[in-house]
Amino acid sequence: MVKTKQQKIKDFLINNGVIIIMFVLVIYTGFTSDNFLTFNNLNNILMNMSSRLVIALGIAGCVITAGCDLSAGRTIGFAACIAGTLLQRMDYSKKFFPNMPPMNLFLALLVVMGVCALCGSITGFFIAYLSVPPFIATLAMMEIVYGVCLIFTNATPLGGYVSSYTGMATGSFLGINYLIWIAIAVAAITWFIFNMTRHGKYMYAIGGNPQAAEVAGVPVKWTLILIYMKASAMYGLAGFMLGAKAGGASVNLGYGYEMEAIAACTIGGVSVTGGRGRVSSAIIGVAVFELLKAALQYLGVNANAQYIAIGVIIFIAISLDIRKYVAKK
Amino acid sequence: MADYKLELKGVCKSFPGVKALDNVQLSLRPGTVHALMGENGAGKSTLMKCLFGIYKMDAGEVYLDGEKIVVNNPDEAMKKYGIAMVHQELQPVPARSVGENMFLGRFPMKHIGPFKMIDHKTMYAETEKWLKEVKMDFDPKAQLGTLSIGQMQSVEIAKAVSQQAKVVIFDEPTSSLSDNEVEALFRIMNDLRDKGVAMVYISHKMDEIKRIADDITVMRDGTYIGTWPASEMTTDDIIKKMVGRELTNVYPARESKPGEVILEVKGLSSIHEKSFQNVSFSIRKGEILGFGGLVGAQRTELMEGLFGIRKVASGQIFVHGKEVKIRRPADAMKAGIGLITEDRRGNGIFGCLSIKDNVGVAIYNKHLKAGFVLNHKVINGIVDENIKKLSIKTPSMKEHISNLSGGNQQKVIVSRWLANDPDVLIMDEPTRGIDVGAKHEIYEIMCNLAKQGKAIIMISSEMSELLGMSDRIYVMCNGKMTGEITDTNDMIQENIMSFATKF
C-alpha cells in the first residue's frame, strides 16, 4: 500500500509525538522566560539528567527482558550512603568511621558498585533460577536494601565529604561537568554492550521470546543474572554521583527514582512487553522528563501540579507508543 | 419428528489457499454416539468450529430437530440450541472453584434489598447435584486446578448436562486420560445415550471407537467419505477409508545414499511416565528419517528431550559413536544437533526482532573479535548468504521477521540452524501452516541438505509428507516406539496407521 502524504505526516506525528510536544514546550519556554535557554541552565539540566540517565540505562536492560526493577531507588540511596561513609573528611565532627582515613575515590566507587552488583545478582538469581517474577523479586530486594541501609547508617544523614568527592560534581573538563562526562561514557558503554556483544543480543532475544531463546541455545538464566547485576552496579554509580552532587546523603536519597526511570524508558520507546528498546530511547525519555520538569518550573507552574503534568505526559506517551506496535499487527 | 437430532449439510469452508471443507455432511441420530474420524488435518475440528459458529461457513446448512438454525457463536449454540462441546484442550479457570467454573457467565443471583448478589449456596448445591448426575462426587468448592484432567473434563460434561444439552461434542476427550478415567467417561456417555442425547465423538483410538460408537463418519482431506453403522466396520475398513488417497507428486525426487551412523539414541526415557519411554533409534549421514504417529504420540517431547529442553530420566545419546551428555540446548548444539520446533510462534521466532537477529542468535557465540565484540561483518555475510541460498523473500535482513509470510519465517529458522552447521537437523512439523509453494521449497531444502551429508529427522503428522520424504520411518504411539519401516515397499499408510494406533 502506498501511503499518501497526509498519512505519512500523520504517522510522523504519532511516532514522534512526545518529542514534538517537548520541542514545542522548550521553545515556548525559551521565548517566554529569559534564563531558560542559557548555557548555565542547560548545563544544570544536563547535570540533573546525568545520574537519571545512568539509572534509566540500567533499568532499560531489565525492561527489555520484559522485567522491571523496583529496587533501583533504594539501591541508589544505599550506594550514596556507603560512598558517604567511605569518603568523609578526617576533621568532620560526625564522621561515621572516626578513625578511618578517607578512601581513594576510585576504590570507593568500586566498593559501592561491587556491593550493589551483589544485591542485583541475588535478585537476578531469584528471577532466573527460581522463576520469581521480576516485579516481586525486585520489590523484595527493595525492602531488604532499605532495611540494610537503615541499620548500616542508623538513619543518620551523612556529610563532610572530602573535596575530591564533591569535586566530581563541581569540576569540569572542556567546560562540561564531570557528571555529564560520566553519563556520556556510560551511555557509550551501554550502547556497545547492547549492540556489539552477544550479551546484548541475548538480552533482546530473551525479551522477544524466552522460549525461543532457550531453544536457540541462549544461556537464558545466566544472562538474566548478568542483566540485574549490571543494572544494580549502575544504580551504585548513580548513587555515587548523586551523593557527590548533593554533598551529602541520607537513607531516603533516590526514593521513587525507579518509577521515573521506568517511565522515562517507556516514554523513549523501550517496550514493557520486552524485546524493544535502545540506548537512545533511555536518553530521549530522560531528556523529556528533565526538560519537562525544568520548563514547568520556569513557566511558574505550581510544584504540586507538576506531578499531574508528568502523569499526563506518561499517559500520552505510552498510548502513542503502543499505537505504533498495535497498528503493525 | 425428524429422524436426526442434528444434521449438517453441504458444509464448505475455505481458508486462503486451502479448501478445508468441501461439501461435508454429518447426521446425528438421537441417543447415539457418532464417531467422526479422519487423519490429522482431515477437517474434523474445522467442521466442529463451523457448527459452533467459531468459523463462518462459506456454504452449508445446519438442522436441529429438522428445523434450520444458524449458530453465530459457541455461547448461542449452548444457550439457544443446547449444543455443547467438551474440548480437546480444556479452557476453564483453574484458579477458581468447581462451582464457579460450572456457572461461569450464568451465576445464580439473589436479591438482598436493592442489591443483586451471587447466590453461592444455590450455586454449590446445584453443582453438587449435577456432579452426582455424572457420577462424580468431589467437593464443588475445590479449586479446579487441583483436579485431574479427567475430573476437569467431567466438570465440563456436568456443565453441559446441567444446561440440558441435547447434543454434546467430544473432541479427543481421552487423549490425556488414564484408563480408569476413560472408563468413567464411557459410563457417563452411556448414561447420556440412554437419556436420548446425541453425541459426536472425535478420536483416533480404534478400540474406543469400536466400544462406544454407534455410527461412524469418515472424513478425508476436507471431504465427506461416508457414514456406516459401527457394527459393520472392522478396524481395517476404517483405516482404509481414512487414508485411501493417491500420493500427490509434490516431493522432489532424490537418490539417497545413507552413510555411517551419526546419531544413536538408546533407551531415552522422560521423567514423566506418560511421555516418551525407552525410545531407541539411530540415523545415518545423508538420511531423511521420518517420525510418524498421531498427535500426542510424544514425538515432539522426545525430540525436545534429545535436545535438552525437557528433562530425561535415563538413556544414552551417541554422536559419531561417542557418548554425549545433553542437559541444555547449548550442549546439543555443541554436539552438532539443530532443532526446528513445531510451534514456530511459541518457541521459534523472535517476532519483534530483525531477520538478522533471528538467524544470528544461534551463532553470536561463534563470531567474536577479541573474545567479546560481535563480528558484525562476518555475521552479516552469513545471514546474507542464507537469505540468498534459501531465497527468503525480504527487502533486507533488517526487516522484522513478523512481517514475513509463514513459509519465509520458517526459512529464516532453517537459516538459523544452517548458520550453525549441524550434522543432524531435527525438523518438527516443518511445513505446518505454510502454503503449498513454500512447502515444496522446504522439501527441496531438506533434500539438498541430505545430499550434503546432513542427517535430517522429520516429525510429520501429514501422512503423504511422511511417505513422500522419508528414507525410513519410525512410528510412535503414546510415548513408545511401535514400529520401524525400512522397506520402501512397506511404506504405505495402512502400515503406519496400524502402528500409530497400537495402544
Side-chain angles (χ1 to χ4, degrees):
Chain A
M1 198 181 73
V2 182
K3 286 186 173 167
T4 63
K5 211 169 185 182
Q6 243 179 338
Q7 272 174 320
K8 273 185 189 162
I9 293 170
K10 198 179 146 199
D11 279 358
F12 180 79
L13 287 178
I14 287 177
N15 288 347
N16 301 291
V18 179
I19 299 171
I20 293 167
I21 293 172
M22 270 333 296
F23 263 105
V24 171
L25 190 67
V26 165
I27 290 166
Y28 175 78
T29 317
F31 274 115
T32 49
S33 48
D34 297 335
N35 304 325
F36 188 67
L37 288 178
T38 58
F39 176 79
N40 263 344
N41 189 46
L42 289 181
N43 195 44
N44 241 334
I45 293 174
L46 283 177
M47 264 176 77
N48 285 337
M49 266 181 71
S50 59
S51 52
R52 298 306 185 111
L53 180 62
V54 173
I55 304 167
L57 286 171
I59 246 171
C62 308
V63 177
I64 288 171
T65 58
C68 68
D69 196 342
L70 302 182
S71 68
R74 291 307 190 189
T75 309
I76 290 159
F78 189 35
C81 287
I82 302 173
T85 60
L86 298 177
L87 295 165
Q88 282 173 318
R89 287 193 309 270
M90 284 308 281
D91 57 356
Y92 186 60
S93 58
K94 289 185 225 155
K95 191 160 166 26
F96 193 79
F97 297 122
N99 301 320
M100 192 190 79
M103 205 181 254
N104 173 290
L105 191 66
F106 292 98
L107 192 61
L109 177 61
L110 221 59
V111 170
V112 168
M113 288 176 73
V115 171
C116 293
L118 181 68
C119 297
S121 55
I122 293 170
T123 318
F125 173 80
F126 277 91
I127 293 167
Y129 280 90
L130 301 173
S131 308
V132 180
F135 185 86
I136 302 298
T138 58
L139 182 81
M141 188 47 79
M142 172 180 102
E143 302 290 353
I144 291 171
V145 166
Y146 186 50
V148 170
C149 187
L150 277 171
I151 293 170
F152 174 60
T153 62
N154 217 359
T156 44
L158 298 155
Y161 292 166
V162 292
S163 58
S164 64
Y165 185 29
T166 46
M168 214 178 111
T170 51
S172 62
F173 174 65
L174 298 179
I176 294 168
N177 191 283
Y178 284 143
L179 295 182
I180 299 169
W181 280 118
I182 294 176
I184 292 171
V186 170
I189 294 169
T190 311
W191 180 88
F192 182 84
I193 293 174
F194 280 15
N195 295 290
M196 299 302 287
T197 67
R198 62 195 143 154
H199 172 75
K201 294 291 181 184
Y202 288 167
M203 175 184 77
Y204 285 109
I206 292 170
N209 187 342
Q211 282 87 28
E214 189 157 359
V215 174
V218 173
V220 175
K221 295 186 165 105
W222 177 235
T223 304
L224 278 174
I225 291 181
L226 264 185
I227 284 167
Y228 282 89
M229 191 173 95
K230 191 182 71 197
S232 284
M234 286 162 83
Y235 312 147
L237 174 59
F240 197 83
M241 291 161 74
L242 283 165
K245 189 157 164 271
S250 74
V251 286
N252 280 324
L253 185 105
Y255 178 66
Y257 284 17
E258 69 279 354
M259 289 302 171
E260 233 172 75
I262 293 172
C265 285
T266 33
I267 284 177
V270 180
S271 160
V272 281
T273 50
R276 270 191 212 102
R278 305 154 160 275
V279 168
S280 59
S281 315
I283 296 175
I284 290 169
V286 171
V288 166
F289 249 98
E290 292 303 321
L291 284 172
L292 182 72
K293 277 193 224 160
L296 290 175
Q297 211 177 339
Y298 268 81
L299 291 174
V301 175
N302 179 315
N304 299 335
Q306 286 181 18
Y307 286 104
I308 300 174
I310 289 170
V312 170
I313 283 288
I314 295 176
F315 265 132
I316 297 172
I318 309 301
S319 317
L320 287 176
D321 189 55
I322 296 286
R323 246 186 94 107
K324 275 188 253 177
Y325 302 116
V326 172
K328 264 188 182 168
K329 270 188 180 168
Chain B
M1 182 73 190
D3 291 342
Y4 296 113
K5 185 76 203 167
L6 181 80
E7 276 187 280
L8 284 97
K9 285 183 186 165
V11 179
C12 297
K13 174 74 196 171
S14 294
F15 294 110
V18 196
K19 189 136 201 185
L21 293 176
D22 189 8
N23 203 14
V24 176
Q25 62 182 75
L26 182 69
S27 310
L28 304 186
R29 294 184 291 141
T32 60
V33 175
H34 196 120
L36 181 58
M37 309 208 57
E39 281 185 277
N40 298 324
K44 301 169 306 230
S45 292
T46 311
L47 181 66
M48 290 303 123
K49 281 181 178 155
C50 285
L51 169 61
F52 280 87
I54 297 168
Y55 293 154
K56 200 171 165 1
M57 47 181 102
D58 299 339
E61 286 154 348
V62 181
Y63 295 87
L64 185 72
D65 290 322
E67 276 178 48
K68 191 175 169 186
I69 61 167
V70 176
V71 183
N72 293 311
N73 56 54
D75 194 46
E76 194 180 286
M78 183 65 243
K79 289 193 174 138
K80 206 163 159 192
Y81 304 115
I83 305 172
M85 177 137 166
V86 177
H87 278 278
Q88 190 173 354
E89 284 132 21
L90 304 164
Q91 297 159 333
V93 191
R96 304 305 303 174
S97 73
V98 172
E100 277 175 85
N101 270 281
M102 261 188 75
F103 286 94
L104 195 64
R106 53 185 188 108
F107 291 122
M109 306 301 273
K110 63 181 175 190
H111 291 270
I112 297 181
F115 301 109
K116 244 175 121 181
M117 288 178 65
I118 291 177
D119 186 352
H120 284 97
K121 218 171 131 191
T122 313
M123 182 171 87
Y124 287 119
E126 285 281 302
T127 305
E128 198 160 3
K129 186 181 119 196
W130 291 114
L131 285 175
K132 281 215 177 86
E133 189 77 23
V134 295
K135 308 276 186 293
M136 287 285 155
D137 57 342
F138 39 82
D139 184 6
K141 287 180 183 163
Q143 195 183 317
L144 192 78
T146 62
L147 306 182
S148 73
I149 295 194
Q151 286 172 321
M152 280 197 228
Q153 214 163 48
S154 41
V155 172
E156 292 279 303
I157 298 167
K159 187 174 173 179
V161 177
S162 73
Q163 295 180 82
Q164 319 292 331
K166 290 283 168 273
V167 179
V168 183
I169 318 290
F170 294 90
D171 190 359
E172 299 209 35
T174 59
S175 56
S176 43
L177 295 192
S178 67
D179 291 349
N180 282 337
E181 288 172 327
V182 172
E183 291 306 317
L185 175 69
F186 282 2
R187 267 203 306 280
I188 297 169
M189 289 178 74
N190 281 326
D191 268 8
L192 293 177
R193 170 155 49 198
D194 294 341
K195 290 189 182 119
V197 175
M199 284 167 278
V200 175
Y201 188 76
I202 301 176
S203 175
H204 289 293
K205 298 182 182 168
M206 290 297 166
D207 53 332
E208 289 178 5
I209 301 292
K210 294 299 290 176
R211 274 186 57 193
I212 195 85
D214 301 296
D215 300 317
I216 295 174
T217 289
V218 174
M219 286 176 70
R220 188 201 307 151
D221 292 340
T223 58
Y224 171 79
I225 302 301
T227 302
W228 302 270
S231 53
E232 291 175 16
M233 299 281 280
T234 65
T235 305
D236 282 347
D237 290 339
I238 301 172
I239 290 177
K240 270 206 188 95
K241 302 276 184 207
M242 278 165 64
V243 297
R245 123 169 70 105
E246 297 294 313
L247 277 186
T248 38
N249 200 15
V250 293
Y251 305 99
R254 72 192 183 91
E255 258 177 67
S256 85
K257 286 179 239 126
E260 76 270 24
V261 172
I262 290 189
L263 172 76
E264 193 174 7
V265 173
K266 278 186 186 163
L268 207 63
S269 296
S270 162
I271 53 166
H272 297 291
E273 221 170 276
K274 299 200 104 186
S275 193
F276 58 92
Q277 290 298 327
N278 198 17
V279 177
S280 303
F281 67 91
S282 63
I283 179 164
R284 293 167 180 282
K285 229 176 145 172
E287 189 177 37
I288 297 181
L289 180 65
F291 264 78
L294 299 167
V295 172
Q298 305 295 323
R299 295 168 295 169
T300 297
E301 288 76 3
L302 169 68
M303 293 311 161
E304 290 183 350
L306 170 61
F307 199 67
I309 299 172
R310 281 171 196 273
K311 285 222 166 80
V312 170
S314 61
Q316 291 168 295
I317 299 162
F318 298 87
V319 177
H320 293 297
K322 259 189 267 164
E323 181 167 7
V324 289
K325 290 271 175 235
I326 295 176
R327 288 186 198 86
R328 55 184 75 82
D331 296 341
M333 285 159 68
K334 221 174 275 165
I337 305 172
L339 170 68
I340 294 168
T341 54
E342 173 187 24
D343 183 3
R344 194 163 51 237
R345 251 170 209 283
N347 53 14
I349 64 168
F350 301 95
C352 60
L353 300 185
S354 66
I355 292 174
K356 179 189 163 182
D357 282 336
N358 268 281
V359 174
V361 66
I363 53 165
Y364 282 140
N365 222 354
K366 288 186 172 176
H367 302 284
L368 298 169
K369 285 188 282 195
F372 72 105
V373 185
L374 291 176
N375 195 339
H376 281 296
K377 207 172 145 196
V378 171
I379 294 165
N380 286 349
I382 294 173
V383 175
D384 223 20
E385 184 194 320
N386 271 296
I387 289 178
K388 287 206 190 84
K389 205 161 67 185
L390 304 187
S391 52
I392 296 169
K393 287 178 203 79
T394 171
S396 100
M397 68 171 83
K398 286 189 179 142
E399 192 73 17
H400 278 195
I401 193 172
S402 50
N403 296 341
L404 304 184
S405 70
N408 280 302
Q409 287 182 0
Q410 187 71 326
K411 285 195 265 182
V412 171
I413 306 288
V414 174
S415 313
R416 176 190 298 168
W417 292 109
L418 293 191
N420 221 0
D421 196 29
D423 299 328
V424 182
L425 186 60
I426 306 169
M427 303 175 92
D428 193 351
E429 305 284 358
T431 62
R432 169 169 293 182
I434 63 182
D435 61 68
V436 182
K439 266 186 187 183
H440 189 74
E441 285 181 77
I442 298 280
Y443 295 144
E444 299 238 289
I445 292 167
M446 290 169 70
C447 290
N448 280 332
L449 291 176
K451 207 191 275 171
Q452 289 162 30
K454 310 253 183 238
I456 294 177
I457 298 176
M458 177 187 69
I459 296 181
S460 177
S461 294
E462 225 174 284
M463 199 60 91
S464 60
E465 180 176 284
L466 199 61
L467 296 171
M469 292 298 297
S470 312
D471 296 323
R472 196 153 57 92
I473 297 173
Y474 283 111
V475 186
M476 286 181 71
C477 175
N478 278 340
K480 293 181 190 70
M481 198 72 102
T482 48
E484 181 189 355
I485 303 170
T486 44
D487 190 342
T488 36
N489 294 325
D490 289 339
M491 282 196 195
I492 49 171
Q493 316 200 5
E494 283 82 350
N495 278 346
I496 294 173
M497 260 306 182
S498 67
F499 280 131
T501 54
K502 205 160 178 178
F503 298 115

